[in-house]
Amino acid sequence: KNQVEQSPQSLIILEGKNCTLQCNYTVSPFSNLRWYKQDTGRGPVSLTIMTFSENTKSNGRYTATLDADTKQSSLHITASQLSDSASYICVVSGQAGTALIFGKGTTLSVSS
Amino acid sequence: GAVVSQHPSRVICKSGTSVKIECRSLDFQATTMFWYRQFPKQSLMLMATSNEGSKATYEQGVEKDKFLINHASLTLSTLTVTSAHPEDSSFYICSAREGGAGGELFFGEGSRLTVL
């Protein structure tokens, strides 16, 4: 069964600290993996999209890694800011024609 | 970058009325659009996949007669919540995929529906 598991479910960190969010998946065959940030009451916004051949991709203070062998991805946030408080959603896509599988998300709270 | 527009952003209606939510891809053509609902502090739940020119594919447990989806053009999909009841109150979000299966997925800003 195609599944996407995210951990932790929620996380609280102090402003300026780094954190890492995890995404494990069982989707096969695999096409790509996306990370989205969703602020409360808003639609998700894309952070990164990674294909099978990509191991790491950065977007500012966000760095995503992908290990297609172990079917694991991580999203590392450096020097967190209060505005990073949001839900982070991992979405995995199978190859052409298959559905997008959503993780339940990790809720990050950054406090001062 | 590509933009997906949703309208209205907020709607309040009386129980028993129908509400239509529009989702438009502003600068690209989307053969496939997706509709989700999201309850407070919960993850997105896919309701249906909307394909231009054909019937939508609904997820298990989603009533197709309750949630009518029309994808009449490559830039517009609509979700109509028919005979809305308070339990239909939720945050509804659409997304549109640019290009094929590996294309970027863009989300609308969401529509907050409150049924009194």
Side-chain angles (χ1 to χ4, degrees):
Chain A
K1 182 180 178 182
N2 289 330
Q3 287 185 314
V4 176
E5 302 279 349
Q6 286 188 247
S7 62
Q9 186 176 7
S10 62
L11 182 62
I12 302 173
I13 61 173
L14 289 175
E15 185 179 15
K17 297 295 185 181
N18 304 334
C19 67
T20 300
L21 314 180
Q22 298 290 342
C23 175
N24 297 338
Y25 62 93
T26 59
V27 178
S28 183
F30 170 82
S31 175
N32 59 68
L33 183 145
R34 315 158 196 251
W35 283 96
Y36 288 87
K37 177 187 178 187
Q38 184 181 21
D39 293 315
T40 301
R42 306 291 294 276
V45 173
S46 179
L47 295 176
T48 64
I49 178 170
M50 301 178 71
T51 59
F52 183 90
S53 60
E54 296 175 296
N55 299 120
T56 183
K57 182 170 281 189
S58 292
N59 179 359
R61 294 179 297 102
Y62 301 102
T63 299
T65 65
L66 174 65
D67 185 334
D69 292 330
T70 61
K71 295 185 168 59
Q72 296 180 326
S73 176
S74 65
L75 180 69
H76 187 74
I77 304 174
T78 304
S80 61
Q81 301 176 358
L82 297 178
S83 59
D84 292 332
S85 296
S87 288
Y88 291 84
I89 304 168
C90 175
V91 184
V92 180
S93 176
Q95 288 183 355
T98 60
L100 297 165
I101 311 297
F102 283 72
K104 293 185 183 298
T106 292
T107 300
L108 174 65
S109 298
V110 180
S111 60
S112 56
Chain B
V3 176
V4 173
S5 173
Q6 243 182 279
H7 177 81
S9 58
R10 293 178 180 272
V11 57
I12 301 173
C13 69
K14 292 182 179 180
S15 184
T17 61
S18 294
V19 175
K20 180 185 285 188
I21 301 170
E22 293 186 347
C23 179
R24 294 180 184 273
S25 57
L26 296 186
D27 54 1
F28 67 98
Q29 293 183 331
T31 54
T32 305
M33 291 185 174
F34 305 89
W35 287 96
Y36 315 82
R37 68 187 298 182
Q38 186 176 35
F39 292 107
K41 297 185 179 181
Q42 294 191 22
S43 62
L44 292 167
M45 288 174 45
L46 179 65
M47 298 175 65
T49 301
S50 169
N51 299 297
E52 187 268 337
S54 64
K55 291 183 179 180
T57 303
Y58 290 82
E59 295 299 300
Q60 190 173 9
V62 177
E63 300 176 57
K64 61 180 181 181
D65 295 329
K66 173 76 172 176
F67 299 99
L68 300 179
I69 291 172
N70 184 280
H71 195 156
S73 76
L74 287 170
T75 59
L76 174 64
S77 176
T78 60
L79 168 68
T80 301
V81 183
T82 61
S83 186
H85 289 93
E87 58 266 29
D88 297 324
S89 299
S90 187
F91 192 52
Y92 293 88
I93 305 175
C94 73
S95 68
R97 189 158 60 190
E98 183 179 25
E104 182 62 85
L105 187 66
F106 298 95
F107 287 83
E109 283 294 317
S111 299
R112 172 78 57 194
L113 170 64
T114 302
V115 185
L116 302 176

